């Protein structure tokens, strides 16, 4: 076979180098988290039910869902 002499020498060296590079990048990423410098996300809107009733609208006006922005005009 071609390369059978070098395979037991090269494969462990390359595999260990790849493992150490991967572990080094994981430790580097753990030491430099970007989320510490960003503001916290706003809390999600809380609804009492999935099927909340629509707000009452005058005849001829579009209905407004709770929490939705008011229509312009």
């Amino acid at each position: 076979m071609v390369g059978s002499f070098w395979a037991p020498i090269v494969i462990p060296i390359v595999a260990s180098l790849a493992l150490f590079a991967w572990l080094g990048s994981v430790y580097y990423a753990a030491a430099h988290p970007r989320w510490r410098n960003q503001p916290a996300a706003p809390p999600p809107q809380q609804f009492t039910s999935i099927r909340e009733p629509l707000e009452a609208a005058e005849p001829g006006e579009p209905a407004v869902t709770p929490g939705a922005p008011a229509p312009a005009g």
Side-chain angles (χ1 to χ4, degrees):
M1 286 184 147
V2 177
S4 62
F5 173 75
W6 290 105
I9 298 169
V10 174
I11 291 174
I13 293 172
V14 171
S16 62
L17 288 176
L19 176 65
F20 287 126
W22 182 29
L23 288 175
S25 64
V26 168
Y27 281 114
Y28 178 80
H32 298 88
R34 290 184 180 242
W35 55 266
R36 287 186 184 172
N37 299 330
Q38 294 180 356
Q45 292 181 352
Q46 298 295 323
F47 295 109
T48 57
S49 172
I50 294 175
R51 299 183 183 267
E52 289 187 23
L54 298 177
E55 291 181 7
E58 296 294 323
E61 292 183 12
V64 180
T65 56

